[in-house]
Each structure stands twice: as structure tokens, then as C-alpha cells.
Amino acid sequence: MKRGTIHLYKIDILFLDKEFEHDIYELIRAFYPGSEITSSYDERKEGCDLYFRIEKQDESCMIRYEDHENKGVTSAEFVEGQSSDALVSCSASEDADAKEQAHAIRKERKDIVKLALYKLLVSLTGKTLPWGNLTGIRPAKLAMGLIESGMKNTEAAQEMRDRYMVSPQKTALAITIANREREILKDIDYENGYSLYVGIPFCPSICLYCSFSSYPLKQWKNRVDLYLEALCKEIKAVSEIMKQKGKKLDTVYIGGGTPTTLEPEQLKVLFDSLMEHFDCEHLVEFTIEAGRPDSITREKLMMIRNYPVTRISVNPQTMNQETLDIIGRRHTVQETEQAFKLARECGFDNINMDLIVGLPGEDKAMVEHTLEEVRRLAPDSLTVHSLAVKRAARLNMFKDKYQEMTFENNQEIMDMTMKTAYEMEMGPYYLYRQKNMKGNFENVGYAKVDKAGIYNILIMEEKQPIIALGAGGSSKLVFDHGRRIERAENVKDVTNYISRIDEMIERKRAGIQKWL
């Protein structure tokens, strides 16, 4: 293999110990995007170009690889020296709880294995990753944890670079965001409160890249009222549970799907139910996604204005009509502009816009055009997503149909989005990463002063429980200051949600009772 070239391989990972299997798999995939990767546990598969053998020996790790592509078999070993003493030395004190001590030892062991594998992959491919060996972890949460442990910013940055091999640029971004998040949250008693997510799983059409629990409104229009009836029943039941324990509601987020697929009277039913059953007087934020411009009307916006909504989102994803047509948005660039201006006319003074970079066929010039159009509209916050194609998305399910499409994202494009946000007087305030992100980059939220999405910080940094209502809702219950997370999930299918609403309520009741 020539270093720096894109090459698709057949790769097999032989795990002689399954510990950290997910992290190892994701790290190898990040270095070989698009390659076919399989896992085996007793004997390796035949016919592969590269083999990785992961073997734990006492408290050390041996990573062996074989390259069958270049004139026979070549092999090498990479062993990072670890001893049990080294592992125990960074664990908790003798007086600490045994579980916490075991957790500290396991975390240290995982960090060592991932660092060893990362160095090997760098030597094999000749490339590095912007976020180093971080897999399955929120960078800003890591940075915040280091700072809250007593580290100075410079010390936390050094830890991220040395232990996790994060690039200096991404380290600075994570540290900056962690500090802004702490400043935003400092006056909110989030540990004694909770947030509410309400899901409306209907959309005008389903986008090519979408993997959410979304249903085309045209096919489900006759069942929307039944869905709202079940949702209102869940709203009432959950409110009663919370009132019994005196928990305070901090933020509400109505998402989807596209909430504004609801007609004005249906929006009224939803909002009236929330107002009747939850105390919204002391909310620090109330957001609704008006995400699809083709779902927005003056009547709907004025209905929303009757309630204490403080933040909405009008999401173009791109301002290039050709791309909108490809991804199935079924609205025009002009409709995006009209919807945004209409929201301003209706009095909304905190409007977010979502963009996606890495969309099929879009190059730097097309992203630059989108940014210029967004700058002209002047939203209050901007969320820049790196395209992530999940298994449930049509773009992945029917990838043969779209194999000729190009997907471009690089550091130059990400830098351009940041530069534009800064020029619009916005700073980064939250970030997260997903699997299968083009270029192994990140999603970043930028906002003007006092316009940051507080709910976004609370859910991404796992600072408090998020109680999720509706089909596909996944409640996140936070224990022991974020050290342990449990979930209580609703079924995704709308028909099942409606028919099994009592079961969903009891499932949620059991989860919430554990947290309370």
C-alpha cells in the first residue's frame, strides 16, 4: 500500500480477548474508511488483505498485523509496555469504592490499548486523525471532566494531546467549548432538575441521509391525531411522576421528525397539554424545530408564539438547489429564505439554522455559497454537521444506486465554516461526534452571546436526565454526577407506540423511579 492513497481493503480483526472490541473496531475503520472489516474470535478468516490480531497477555497488549497485499506475507508486532503496577498506580485509593477502582483500572487499560493501536495504524497508513484515538466519547465532555478535576486549561490540553493523540487544533476547540459550556451552565441548578424532549416523528419527505424515526406525513396524515392522543397521555403520566418528587423542569425541546408538520390546531393540542401538565414558568429555554421550510406557515408560527417558546430552528442543510433535490428535501432555496424571514416577522429573536457538510456532490465552492447565503440571513446560531451515514439511511441501504456520488469534507471546509461563524459574531458552544462521519470530523454548534442552545449542552455533556416522550424517544437517566447513564426507550414504530402507550408509560415510570 502507498502511504496517503485511498485503498479499500478486506480486513479481519482476530480478537483473542473481546475487551474493548467496539473501540478497536471503530479505530481501525477510521483509518480504513470504506473498507470491508470483519471480526472473528477463534480463527482468522481467509482471503483478507490485512489481519489484525489483538491479544491481551496478563496486563499487556500485543497487536500483530499481517499484510498480504505486497509480495507475500509481511508481519510486525507492536507492543506497548504495560505492567500491572502501571495500571494500578493510576487507580483509586484503597479507601475508594471497589467498583470505582475497577472502573479506573479498566479505563486505563483501554487507553493503553487504544494508544498502542493508534500508533501502529499511523505507522501503517502514514496518516493521523484529527480527533486522535477518541472513539465513542464526547470530546467536550472529556475536556470538561479534566478541567473539573482541577486541571488548568493548559494541563487538560496536554492530556488530550498525549493520551488521546488529539490534534492541537481540535484540542483547542474542545477546551474552548468546555469552558463556554461551564459558563453557560453556572447559574442553572441542573443536577436537581431535568429536561424534556417531545418527539413528532412526521416529515414532509424523508431525506436521503436520515436514520431518525421519521415517517412521511402524506402516508400517515390520518393517524396524526391518534398519535397526539397517545403522546398527550404520556405527557400527563410523566408530569404526575415528576410532580410527586418535586423535580424542576429546566428546558423543553420539541423535535422530530418535523414538529411543524402538525397543523395549527394540532400544535395547539400539543402545547396546551404541555402547559397544563408541566410547570413552565421557570424554564430557561423552550425550543421547537421548525426544521423543514416547506412545513412552515404564518398560521403555525403565530400559534407557536402564543406559548413560551424562546428558540426555533429553521434548517436549510444546504442552500444549493441541486443538492436539495438529490437528498429529497423537496423544498427550494427561496422557501428557506422566505420561512426564515417569516419567522423574524412573527417575532422570533433566537433562530438556529442547521447545515450539513459532506453532502453528495458538494465541493468547497458549494459549501462557501451556502455560508454566504446564511450570512445574509443572519441567524442567531448555526449548527454545522459533518455528514454521517448510518445503516438505516437510504443513502446506505441503497448505496449501489448512489455509488457514483462524491462526498467531500476536509479540514479546509471545516475551517471555512468556523471562520464564517466567527465573522457572524458566533462562538462554538457545543460539539459531538457520530459514527461514520465523513472525514472523521465533528458537529459543532456556534451561537451569539446568550443565544446558545442550553438543551444541546445538557444532553451532550450528560449533565442531567433527559425525559423523552413520543415514538422513538430514548430517555437518558443520569446517575452519580454523570458516571452512570441508563436509558428507557419507547418503541420507534408509530402504530406500536399508539397501541402500546400504557406499556411505554410503565417502562418510563420504572426507569424514572430508579433515578428518583
Side-chain angles (χ1 to χ4, degrees), residues 6-210:
I6 297 175
H7 198 134
L8 301 184
Y9 293 94
K10 287 186 176 180
I11 301 172
D12 183 50
I13 310 171
L14 178 60
F15 290 99
L16 300 184
D17 186 293
K18 294 185 180 181
E19 194 170 25
F20 317 131
E21 175 182 347
H22 172 77
D23 297 275
I24 290 167
Y25 178 88
E26 291 298 328
L27 195 54
I28 291 175
R29 186 169 67 168
F31 274 90
Y32 297 98
S35 292
E36 180 183 331
I37 304 177
T38 58
S39 302
S40 52
Y41 307 99
D42 47 9
E43 58 183 29
R44 69 189 190 187
K45 291 179 172 62
E46 297 300 323
C48 291
D49 305 310
L50 291 177
Y51 294 98
F52 288 86
R53 175 187 174 103
I54 315 295
E55 183 176 358
K56 190 171 71 177
Q57 299 175 337
D58 297 325
E59 297 298 341
S60 67
C61 173
M62 182 179 75
I63 304 169
R64 176 185 176 89
Y65 80 94
E66 295 181 5
D67 181 352
H68 284 212
E69 186 186 54
N70 299 309
K71 297 181 181 179
V73 179
T74 59
S75 64
E77 292 181 3
F78 187 94
V79 181
E80 187 82 0
Q82 312 100 19
S83 68
S84 57
D85 291 339
L87 291 172
V88 172
S89 66
C90 67
S91 66
S93 65
E94 293 182 4
D95 296 331
D97 181 83
K99 285 186 177 180
E100 191 159 336
Q101 185 175 16
H103 174 76
I105 293 173
R106 187 178 186 277
K107 180 182 181 304
E108 180 70 11
R109 183 182 294 123
K110 181 169 74 170
D111 287 349
I112 289 171
V113 171
K114 290 174 66 176
L115 181 60
L117 178 59
Y118 182 83
K119 289 180 178 178
L120 173 61
L121 291 168
V122 169
S123 70
L124 288 176
T125 64
K127 69 178 183 180
T128 59
L129 301 178
W131 287 104
N133 64 33
L134 292 181
T135 59
I137 191 168
R138 294 174 171 84
K141 182 178 181 181
L142 171 63
M144 185 180 290
L146 295 172
I147 294 169
E148 289 179 342
S149 73
M151 287 188 181
K152 298 178 181 177
N153 288 339
T154 53
E155 295 170 334
Q158 191 68 45
E159 178 79 356
M160 292 186 71
R161 290 193 296 268
D162 292 348
R163 179 178 284 263
Y164 302 105
M165 309 303 290
V166 179
S167 71
Q169 183 179 17
K170 298 304 181 186
T171 297
L173 178 62
I175 296 293
T176 298
I177 288 174
N179 280 293
R180 187 172 184 189
E181 288 178 335
R182 295 186 73 205
E183 178 64 23
I184 291 170
L185 296 181
K186 66 179 174 50
D187 296 324
I188 301 174
D189 186 18
Y190 53 82
E191 289 203 353
N192 292 311
Y194 70 100
S195 288
L196 196 67
Y197 175 87
V198 183
I200 305 298
F202 307 108
C203 275
S205 63
I206 307 304
C207 297
L208 194 62
Y209 50 79
C210 182

Side-chain angles (χ1 to χ4, degrees), residues 372-426:
E372 286 305 311
E373 291 298 301
V374 168
R375 185 206 303 267
R376 188 167 55 82
L377 292 173
D380 304 285
S381 60
L382 183 68
T383 307
V384 179
H385 298 268
S386 295
L387 179 66
V389 182
K390 298 183 180 179
R391 283 182 298 176
R394 286 190 295 133
L395 190 55
N396 201 26
M397 293 169 67
F398 305 104
K399 56 186 174 185
D400 290 345
K401 180 179 177 181
Y402 306 106
Q403 61 183 348
E404 300 302 321
M405 290 182 178
T406 58
F407 301 86
E408 182 179 340
N409 192 18
N410 53 47
Q411 189 59 56
E412 185 180 10
I413 290 176
M414 296 301 290
D415 289 345
M416 183 172 64
T417 62
M418 176 178 284
K419 179 174 181 292
T420 302
Y422 283 153
E423 290 171 351
M424 295 170 66
E425 300 183 342
M426 298 180 191

Side-chain angles (χ1 to χ4, degrees), residues 319-333:
M319 298 295 273
N320 294 290
Q321 189 61 50
E322 179 183 353
T323 310
L324 289 173
D325 295 339
I326 290 172
I327 63 178
R329 291 287 282 187
R330 297 186 184 175
H331 64 81
T332 66
V333 171

Side-chain angles (χ1 to χ4, degrees), residues 445-503:
Y446 301 92
K448 295 180 179 179
V449 175
D450 296 329
K451 301 295 185 179
I454 297 171
Y455 170 89
N456 293 330
I457 299 173
L458 292 170
I459 190 170
M460 288 303 161
E461 306 313 322
E462 298 175 329
K463 288 294 188 181
Q464 70 170 196
I466 308 292
I467 308 303
L469 312 180
S474 179
S475 297
K476 183 182 291 188
L477 304 171
V478 179
F479 298 85
D480 195 19
H481 308 289
R483 292 185 179 90
R484 180 167 62 89
I485 306 294
E486 291 188 12
R487 296 180 182 274
E489 298 185 347
N490 286 345
V491 294
K492 294 181 179 181
D493 181 78
V494 168
T495 301
N496 278 334
Y497 173 78
I498 294 170
S499 63
R500 297 167 58 187
I501 186 59
D502 292 333
E503 178 189 340

